[in-house]
Amino acid sequence: MLSREDNELLTHVGAGKPMGDLMRRYWIPATYSHLVSEPDSPPVRVKLLGEDLVAFRDTEGRVGLLDQSCPHRTASLFFGRNEECGLRCVYHGWKFDVEGNCVDLPSEPPGGNLQRKVRIKSYPCVERGGIVWAYMGPPALKPDIPDLEWTRLPDSHRLASRQILQCNWLQGLEGGFDSSHLAFLHMGVVEGGVTIRPSHYEVLPTDYGFVVGTGRELDGDRSFWSANVMVMPFHKIIASVPVASHMWVPMDDENTMLYCVDFNPHRPFTDEDLARETSWNGIHSENIPGTDRAIRNKDNDYLIDRALQASGKSYTGIKGLGTQDNGIQESMGPIADRTKENLGASDTAVIAIRRFLLQTL
């Protein structure tokens, strides 16, 4: 269990909060590149670390990430005109470039000096692996650009999806490293030896996070070990075929954008690969068209099938690995009350995550 104070330290991600300030020291996925694919294409809404933002690609192909509120009368720039190297507010025509400079003030009389004084909050962006990454921290402390393996691969070697998780980011990250749940929550979906209950847990610290090893006893003297890698601040690399990477990106304290990326380092995905990875029982949950919200969601109880649950073919009666994970994590509430928990040996990785993050703050 955690104290209420420590729970708040780990879960609150707004500006000025310890975890929020820590998150801002890293490059953070903001949106897909294809959602702002063309110069002067429409801006898109972005929610990161409690901030309402808009992303756009300017006439020269540069991606900008600005505060959603125009600094004139706080109208939303989501409705803005993306034209001639800037995003123009449709209320009074004030225009801003990707660096937050005010480049036009047509509603003001000529000769004034207001334009030189006006700026809008902006964050630098880079593109890697089909994703626009933003840096929201102190400019002098900007780290190197993300260099994860999957970001260096061609599009043909990578399959990505995302959806909104209606709970705090830490619930998702902890769930991702809770290996013992595979033999229960996912029974009937995950096949093979991985459904054998773990009996050994090891955590190896690294410079970038840690590696979690989980051992399962097989017949005779054999053991099956799996390894998952935690990379600060919210990444998980899964030792699977294809390799998988998850990112639980905090939108605010109570909502998370979950990115799931499968990748083959050595070859493109085949049609058979894509069909398998996007099937109903996979990690890539199907979204409501035009949104980042899953079709099987909290409002419809994830379309749980009690007859399927009773049949023994599914432990939960909920279809899909991703839906099962999201449903259970959301069932804990927007921010889980960790003062009520009773943890055991199977929670070794969860305990390590919390200790590691608290020591980092």
Side-chain angles (χ1 to χ4, degrees), residues 74-255:
T74 71
S76 173
L77 287 174
F78 170 75
F79 300 101
R81 298 172 59 90
N82 185 7
E83 57 189 15
E84 299 175 344
C85 288
L87 193 59
R88 188 184 296 275
C89 180
V90 295
Y91 201 3
H92 298 94
W94 291 27
K95 182 179 175 183
F96 304 91
D97 65 16
V98 296
E99 296 177 347
N101 301 305
C102 182
V103 295
D104 194 18
L105 225 61
S107 66
E108 290 295 301
N113 63 359
L114 180 59
Q115 182 174 331
R116 295 195 300 272
K117 298 179 180 179
V118 173
R119 283 188 57 83
I120 191 170
K121 183 191 298 179
S122 67
Y123 295 118
C125 296
V126 296
E127 295 180 83
R128 291 289 187 278
I131 287 176
V132 175
W133 303 72
Y135 176 68
M136 302 172 69
L141 300 176
K142 186 190 302 182
D144 292 337
I145 294 171
D147 194 30
L148 297 165
E149 181 182 14
W150 60 266
T151 67
R152 303 193 300 269
L153 297 175
D155 291 347
S156 59
H157 291 53
R158 187 174 57 236
L159 171 66
S161 68
R162 73 176 190 177
Q163 64 179 250
I164 295 173
L165 183 60
Q166 291 182 282
C167 65
N168 184 261
W169 75 280
L170 189 58
Q171 281 153 245
L173 181 69
E174 290 178 345
F177 284 91
D178 175 1
S179 57
S180 66
H181 82 275
L182 295 174
F184 299 93
L185 183 68
H186 299 319
M187 187 184 297
V189 179
V190 177
E191 298 179 355
V194 75
T195 57
I196 299 173
R197 300 175 190 179
S199 54
H200 304 288
Y201 304 89
E202 299 288 343
V203 177
L204 176 65
T206 67
D207 292 339
Y208 49 80
F210 51 79
V211 178
V212 176
T214 305
R216 295 171 172 84
E217 299 294 338
L218 302 179
D219 57 313
D221 295 329
R222 297 186 306 147
S223 296
F224 172 82
W225 282 85
S226 60
N228 296 311
V229 181
M230 189 274 189
V231 180
M232 282 290 288
F234 41 58
H235 301 267
K236 177 189 178 186
I237 311 296
I238 306 170
S240 59
V241 180
V243 188
S245 175
H246 294 170
M247 299 177 287
W248 289 272
V249 182
M251 300 172 69
D252 54 32
D253 291 349
E254 298 184 354
N255 295 277

Side-chain angles (χ1 to χ4, degrees), residues 315-333:
Y315 203 73
T316 62
I318 297 172
K319 295 182 177 180
L321 285 167
T323 306
Q324 291 164 2
D325 285 331
N326 294 354
I328 288 303
Q329 291 159 15
E330 291 177 345
S331 77
M332 300 173 184

Side-chain angles (χ1 to χ4, degrees), residues 286-295 297:
E286 186 179 4
N287 288 345
I288 299 170
T291 77
D292 293 307
R293 186 140 196 247
I295 290 175
N297 59 61

